[in-house]
Amino acid sequence: MGGWALEIGKMALYMTFPVAMFHWFNQPEYFEKWVTDTRRQLYPPENPQHRAEIEKCIRNVRERHDQELLKALEEMEQKEKK
């Protein structure tokens, strides 16, 4: 078929390609740029106004939940007294 020269060429390509890609994509400048860009996309800088709104919403949900629990406890106490 192709002979030993073709086999040596294929083996060289099989071994060189992954090593070359590893070298190319693991350059510190490329990696650092990619990491910082990805981090900024996933975790944008925090906005204090948004943070305050989220905390206010969490507080409201907790207060509503606490009120529901108190109401349920009061109903249980009233049932026990009867």
Side-chain angles (χ1 to χ4, degrees):
M1 292 253 149
W4 64 271
L6 180 62
E7 292 299 322
I8 290 175
K10 287 192 321 187
M11 184 57 76
L13 181 66
Y14 294 154
M15 294 173 67
T16 305
F17 183 75
V19 172
M21 291 298 105
F22 180 81
H23 176 72
W24 177 264
F25 287 107
N26 283 320
Q27 296 296 317
E29 300 85 26
Y30 176 78
F31 185 74
E32 188 172 339
K33 181 181 180 300
W34 178 77
V35 167
T36 54
D37 290 346
T38 304
R39 184 180 294 161
R40 285 190 182 133
Q41 288 176 354
L42 293 175
Y43 307 107
E46 195 171 291
N47 186 346
Q49 182 181 3
H50 290 163
R51 181 71 176 175
E53 290 176 8
I54 291 171
E55 288 176 356
K56 180 180 176 186
C57 182
I58 291 172
R59 242 182 281 118
N60 290 339
V61 169
R62 284 182 179 164
E63 288 174 2
R64 217 177 304 137
H65 186 263
D66 290 345
Q67 289 174 357
E68 290 174 2
L69 286 176
L70 285 174
K71 184 177 178 182
L73 283 172
E74 289 174 357
E75 289 176 0
M76 287 178 61
E77 287 177 359
Q78 287 176 1
K79 287 180 182 178
E80 288 178 359
K81 288 182 180 178
K82 291 182 180 182

